[in-house]
Amino acid sequence: MNALEIEDITKKFGDFYAVKDLSLKIPQQTIFGLLGPNGAGKTTTIRMVMNIIIPDKGSIRVLDKKMDEAMKERIGYLPEDRGLYPKMKVGEHLYFLSELKGLKGQEARKRIDLWLERFDLTDWKLKKVEELSRGMQQKIQFIATVIHDPELIILDEPFSGLDPVNTKLFKDIMLEMKKNGRTIIFSTHRMEQVEMICDNICLINKAKMVLEGNLSHIKKQYGKNSVVLDYDGDASFIQSLPEIEKIDDYGKFMEIKLKEQTDPQELLNTLVGKIRITKFEVMEPTLNAIFIEKVGEKDAKDTLSH
Amino acid sequence: MQKILSVIKREYIQIIRTKGFIIGTILGPVLMAAFIVVPVVVQFISVDQQEKIGIIDETGEIFMDLEQKLDQKLKEGSRRYLLISYQLKDDVEALREDLNQKVLRKELSAYIYIPADISGGGEAEFVSEHVSDFDKRGNFNRALSSIVIEKRLRGEGLDPLKISEYTRPVVLVTKKVTKRGVERDTGGTFIISYFLVLVLYMTLLFYGQIILRGVIEEKSSRVVEVVLSSLTPFQLMAGKIVGIAAVGFTQYAIWALFGIVASQYSKKLITGFFPAAASFTMPSIPAYILVYFVLFFILGYFLYATMYAAIGSMVNSEKEAQQLIMPVVMFLVVPILLMMFVIKSPDSTFSVVLSMIPFFAPILMLLRICVLLPPFSQIAGSIILLVLSIVLMIWLVAKIYRVGILMYGKRPSFGEILKWIRYS
């Protein structure tokens, strides 16, 4: 069974296509990465899944049923534009949000206490939301997203603004939920996070899907003709070498895509003596490189440097 | 429905808890009561002291009568004004100078100079350090006048009692004729109409503002989409509007309770001091007017609340909202401006037409009902029009709200809003 099936949805705002002819299938008990540059249509897609925006055409099935309001109780959604009522106390705010998901009474209170403890926020339960730091508020929002133990969890840019410790905490919980049979969809433009935890990905650009599938299959498909090089010295001459197809130079290291049928060994030979090499690794292309190739240099730079 | 209830509960509890609500609800009536009670109490405590008043009576005939007329008593039973007659000596000016000094030394609180030709139009004088006590001066003036007038009448051989009998003013009683018969009206109709309409106007304005602020807060704190992951924009809007209506009813209930207690108590208080006031009846509000008041409050509230919610969803800050609010506020202000006209001629064509326009109906139809119960067909007509426009407004606003609450940044133009209505 698929946790989510999107078929041929389109949404137009005026003359502008936010999403065009998008289809997706997301199997249950997987972590799915929804990737794409800013303005590609990720948030609009997610909002259509959540029934917040109505698609102009196409159909959406969630957990094997047509999406409707009742389904919202089985989904946890952390929007990109997220916030809390500043004047409410943390405890009562979480209770309010879980009540909206149909979870109330003793059970709700028990779960709120457990989650606050896990996020080390027990002492803040009776404080007003406005007294919390942004990071703490984000943890509260995350708790609200999963408090009702949803079968499908949709997280729009869940890690933005989080410190590394909490990023790891979020990630651990996501993996744990997957182990418990839950399905997680999250959007991001931080590729290293995707590589670490995603099973499947989909890349959207300019309202359209440009790449979809199992992450390791996609990487294999791109072949083992990439080289990651860590170096010291002036490496600008590499650009003009005949065996090079493309270079992403980051100053201290570069990712090099070789032309087909080129032996990476030849490149190594050429480089020796000209620059100091601290690492030379032949590998599948990183998701970063695939992203750049698919989306185009300019769009990708805007997004990845964001 | 369960979800709307949760939203209603949240709105209600959050607002009831604010300082603004507590202060507005409790302090409002306390202040109003203070305006009534404090002057009475002040009057009660300020005058309990005997005063010595000197009298220079050049006629030699008035002092005795004056002492008889000014017989107000203090609480313990002694005279309030102790009148001391000063015998006229040769030099009137020297005597007056002497009394001036006595007043300054506080041996006398005042003295009155009565000239010999007072009956022929001579001016009496009241001399004191404190000349702003209108109450005291009035007492003396009335006593002196009636004595002098009696003297003049007697001088002409007329009987003062008969004269006052002949010159008694005519009483004009105002009565209001309604379907249920003829009732005596003591000006209460006017006061009640004015009061009810102003309360309606102010609460519509006040609660509209609360809704506006609530929607803007939800937008600016970015909590909207979090909430929308559980319910529809329409449910959120409906919950907010109903929740705040519940706050309004709570406030009304507290005020009404306060009013009932206060009117019971204040009547006791007032008649305690002025036994004459016992015959005065507080204007009571007929039950049917209260029913219409509640009905028009509910209808008016829903009409205006939806408009305020729509405006809140279109803007990013309260400052931005102020411009858009203007036309809505105008709809509320216009009937207040036309109030006097409608009170004067409640059944003129102009009044009838105005009171049928949905935006004005809550205030103007209620006013007409207070002043002169219009034909039921007109009341029903305005209610039907009002309900229809509320339904239309909710349909329209739900579309604007649905798009608006997720829009940040530039305020939408009128054209864009039309687009929202068409697309969603």
Side-chain angles (χ1 to χ4, degrees):
Chain A
M1 187 179 102
N2 287 320
L4 177 65
E5 285 178 26
I6 294 176
E7 227 174 276
D8 209 21
I9 53 166
T10 294
K11 180 72 195 177
K12 245 171 110 176
F13 295 117
D15 294 327
F16 171 75
Y17 280 98
V19 175
K20 194 163 193 268
D21 306 325
L22 183 78
S23 297
L24 258 186
K25 280 192 172 63
I26 298 176
Q28 249 181 336
Q29 208 178 352
T30 56
I31 298 183
F32 187 90
L34 189 59
L35 318 178
N38 299 327
K42 289 173 298 190
T43 297
T44 304
T45 305
I46 290 175
R47 283 180 174 173
M48 283 191 283
V49 171
M50 286 311 294
N51 218 13
I52 292 171
I53 295 177
I54 316 283
D56 297 335
K57 73 177 182 79
S59 74
I60 294 168
R61 286 178 72 80
V62 177
L63 300 167
D64 232 14
K65 271 192 185 148
K66 196 176 168 342
M67 179 61 194
D68 60 12
E69 281 301 304
M71 187 57 82
K72 283 185 175 176
E73 287 183 13
R74 297 167 67 185
I75 306 176
Y77 170 45
L78 181 69
E80 187 186 11
D81 278 327
R82 53 192 165 233
L84 299 165
Y85 289 105
K87 301 278 179 209
M88 278 181 105
K89 288 178 186 142
V90 170
E92 66 182 16
H93 203 311
L94 283 172
Y95 187 82
F96 169 66
L97 290 175
S98 68
E99 210 176 36
L100 290 184
K101 291 290 187 189
L103 176 71
K104 47 192 168 177
Q106 214 44 51
E107 177 64 20
R109 274 182 259 276
K110 203 179 81 195
R111 286 201 210 170
I112 288 167
D113 288 343
L114 279 174
W115 277 106
L116 284 176
E117 205 180 307
R118 180 153 190 196
F119 279 99
D120 208 16
L121 286 168
T122 307
D123 293 343
W124 295 87
K125 190 180 169 185
L126 296 177
K127 294 264 170 39
K128 280 187 182 171
V129 167
E130 60 190 353
E131 296 172 49
L132 271 61
S133 72
R134 266 196 56 179
M136 287 176 182
Q137 290 194 25
Q138 199 161 343
K139 289 197 256 183
I140 302 293
Q141 287 149 2
F142 188 83
I143 295 174
T145 310
V146 298
I147 189 87
H148 56 300
D149 196 17
E151 291 155 78
L152 175 64
I153 297 127
I154 302 176
L155 311 168
D156 202 351
E157 299 283 357
F159 306 113
S160 71
L162 272 192
D163 62 43
V165 177
N166 285 312
T167 304
K168 185 174 178 322
L169 184 57
F170 275 34
K171 225 181 293 179
D172 289 347
I173 293 170
M174 285 162 73
L175 289 169
E176 183 188 304
M177 287 190 297
K178 176 188 157 190
K179 218 165 70 192
N180 292 334
R182 309 294 175 228
T183 311
I184 296 149
I185 301 171
F186 80 102
S187 85
T188 184
H189 46 246
R190 302 268 298 276
M191 299 305 145
E192 74 280 4
Q193 293 161 348
V194 178
E195 292 194 294
M196 269 185 272
I197 57 174
C198 280
D199 303 299
N200 300 302
I201 62 152
C202 142
L203 178 58
I204 303 178
N205 189 33
K206 293 180 180 152
K208 283 185 183 159
M209 172 133 69
V210 286
L211 186 66
E212 191 218 352
N214 182 283
L215 185 57
S216 44
H217 291 174
I218 289 174
K219 284 191 161 192
K220 274 203 194 91
Q221 202 181 309
Y222 274 74
K224 262 202 173 221
N225 62 347
S226 280
V227 170
V228 170
L229 175 71
D230 288 15
Y231 67 95
D232 278 323
D234 182 12
S236 53
F237 68 93
I238 299 177
Q239 189 78 57
S240 48
L241 294 175
E243 55 266 57
I244 305 293
E245 186 175 315
K246 195 165 161 292
I247 283 182
D248 292 317
D249 192 349
Y250 298 95
K252 283 268 176 218
F253 74 97
M254 57 171 70
E255 197 176 334
I256 302 164
K257 193 172 180 215
L258 297 169
K259 284 190 177 142
E260 264 172 65
Q261 328 255 281
T262 311
D263 185 357
Q265 216 61 54
E266 283 173 27
L267 176 66
L268 184 59
N269 284 335
T270 327
L271 294 181
V272 170
K274 293 189 174 129
I275 49 169
R276 266 190 74 82
I277 298 163
T278 48
K279 181 180 157 193
F280 186 93
E281 188 185 357
V282 182
M283 57 180 292
E284 291 168 350
T286 60
L287 199 51
N288 235 342
I290 297 174
F291 184 92
I292 291 168
E293 188 183 316
K294 278 290 176 188
V295 169
E297 200 79 38
K298 197 185 152 292
D299 282 353
K301 279 235 173 76
D302 287 351
T303 301
L304 293 172
S305 61
H306 195 66
Chain B
M1 198 56 218
Q2 191 57 48
K3 291 178 182 178
I4 296 184
L5 277 178
S6 300
V7 177
I8 292 173
K9 202 174 74 186
R10 196 203 78 83
E11 291 291 339
Y12 184 77
I13 292 172
Q14 291 301 313
I15 290 181
I16 291 277
R17 251 197 233 154
T18 57
K19 285 192 199 81
F21 177 82
I22 296 169
I23 291 171
T25 308
I26 307 299
L27 218 59
V30 167
L31 277 176
M32 251 155 60
F35 273 118
I36 301 168
V37 173
V38 168
V40 176
V41 172
V42 165
Q43 198 165 15
F44 173 59
I45 53 176
S46 66
V47 294
D48 211 27
Q49 208 185 0
Q50 193 176 53
E51 290 179 72
K52 284 183 184 158
I53 313 285
I55 308 285
I56 306 174
D57 183 6
E58 281 190 342
T59 64
E61 298 167 342
I62 291 179
F63 180 78
M64 294 292 285
D65 289 337
L66 201 56
E67 200 166 31
Q68 248 176 34
K69 277 252 152 77
L70 289 171
D71 60 349
Q72 286 98 330
K73 295 278 196 298
L74 295 176
K75 268 219 312 206
E76 9 100 27
S78 54
R79 293 179 68 98
R80 180 165 166 198
Y81 301 115
L82 190 65
L83 301 190
I84 302 166
S85 175
Y86 287 89
Q87 290 307 314
L88 201 56
K89 296 187 190 115
D90 297 337
D91 187 355
V92 179
E93 289 310 311
L95 175 61
R96 295 190 61 173
E97 187 48 41
D98 186 29
L99 291 191
N100 286 344
Q101 291 307 317
K102 278 190 171 22
V103 168
L104 286 177
R105 286 200 303 272
K106 318 245 185 264
E107 285 168 35
L108 289 177
S109 77
Y111 73 87
I112 296 171
Y113 167 70
I114 303 166
D117 64 340
I118 183 131
S119 290
E123 287 172 359
E125 287 173 24
F126 174 79
V127 184
S128 175
E129 265 191 303
H130 311 290
V131 292
S132 54
D133 190 340
F134 293 105
D135 193 37
K136 197 187 336 175
R137 233 180 48 194
N139 274 342
F140 292 146
N141 200 347
R142 272 192 302 278
L144 207 52
S145 290
S146 73
I147 293 166
V148 171
I149 289 170
E150 266 179 47
K151 264 186 180 323
R152 287 179 192 147
L153 292 172
R154 286 228 172 76
E156 297 291 325
L158 298 167
D159 180 358
L161 275 177
K162 283 214 166 124
I163 296 293
S164 76
E165 184 83 356
Y166 297 154
T167 54
R168 188 156 37 97
V170 169
V171 178
L172 181 71
V173 177
T174 314
K175 290 192 172 179
K176 180 177 172 180
V177 61
T178 66
K179 294 257 164 56
R180 290 162 302 120
V182 178
E183 303 161 359
R184 210 182 160 100
D185 187 288
T186 51
T189 302
F190 180 77
I191 295 169
I192 290 168
S193 321
Y194 211 81
F195 174 75
L196 287 182
V197 163
L198 280 184
V199 168
L200 189 65
Y201 163 74
M202 294 209 299
T203 38
L204 285 182
L205 210 59
F206 181 69
Y207 289 110
Q209 203 70 31
I210 289 187
I211 287 181
L212 179 76
R213 207 170 297 152
V215 175
I216 293 173
E217 189 202 37
E218 271 168 358
K219 261 188 95 167
S220 61
S221 69
R222 300 287 197 271
V223 75
V224 177
E225 205 171 341
V226 173
V227 176
L228 290 190
S229 74
S230 304
L231 39 68
T232 63
F234 182 78
Q235 284 172 319
L236 179 60
M237 186 178 89
K240 183 176 269 316
I241 289 175
V242 175
I244 288 169
V247 174
F249 275 114
T250 307
Q251 197 161 44
Y252 274 155
I254 293 172
W255 284 347
L257 207 69
F258 202 95
I260 291 167
V261 173
S263 68
Q264 295 288 327
Y265 187 73
S266 70
K267 181 149 187 193
K268 234 179 247 168
L269 195 74
I270 290 167
T271 50
F273 292 108
F274 311 105
S279 63
F280 173 78
T281 45
M282 295 282 276
S284 61
I285 305 176
Y288 74 93
I289 287 186
L290 280 183
V291 171
Y292 278 122
F293 174 76
V294 172
L295 185 68
F296 278 107
F297 170 68
I298 294 173
L299 292 174
Y301 172 80
F302 277 108
L303 185 67
Y304 281 96
T306 45
M307 288 197 278
Y308 274 101
I311 289 169
S313 72
M314 287 180 215
V315 299
N316 302 294
S317 67
E318 275 188 60
K319 226 176 98 192
E320 247 181 62
Q322 289 318 313
Q323 286 177 306
L324 289 176
I325 282 296
M326 272 308 286
V328 178
V329 174
M330 282 314 289
F331 281 139
L332 281 169
V333 170
V334 166
I336 294 297
L337 294 177
L338 294 170
M339 214 169 128
M340 289 316 290
F341 175 82
V342 176
I343 288 180
K344 267 192 217 153
S345 50
D347 53 356
S348 67
T349 316
F350 190 54
S351 296
V352 173
V353 170
L354 278 176
S355 67
M356 300 300 269
I357 297 172
F359 293 114
F360 305 147
I363 288 178
L364 290 185
M365 189 49 93
L366 179 71
L367 187 60
R368 289 186 59 216
I369 290 170
C370 288
V371 180
L372 151 141
L373 195 60
F376 183 71
S377 60
Q378 285 182 14
I379 300 179
S382 81
I383 290 175
I384 290 168
L385 279 178
L386 204 44
V387 169
L388 285 179
S389 29
I390 289 170
V391 171
L392 183 74
M393 196 57 92
I394 289 176
W395 176 79
L396 209 66
V397 163
K399 282 167 177 272
I400 295 175
Y401 185 84
R402 178 174 193 115
V403 182
I405 44 169
L406 294 174
M407 286 281 177
Y408 299 106
K410 198 176 79 61
R411 204 186 80 197
S413 66
F414 188 67
E416 280 170 298
I417 291 167
L418 282 183
K419 248 187 230 162
W420 294 358
I421 295 172
R422 254 184 297 145
Y423 285 125
S424 56

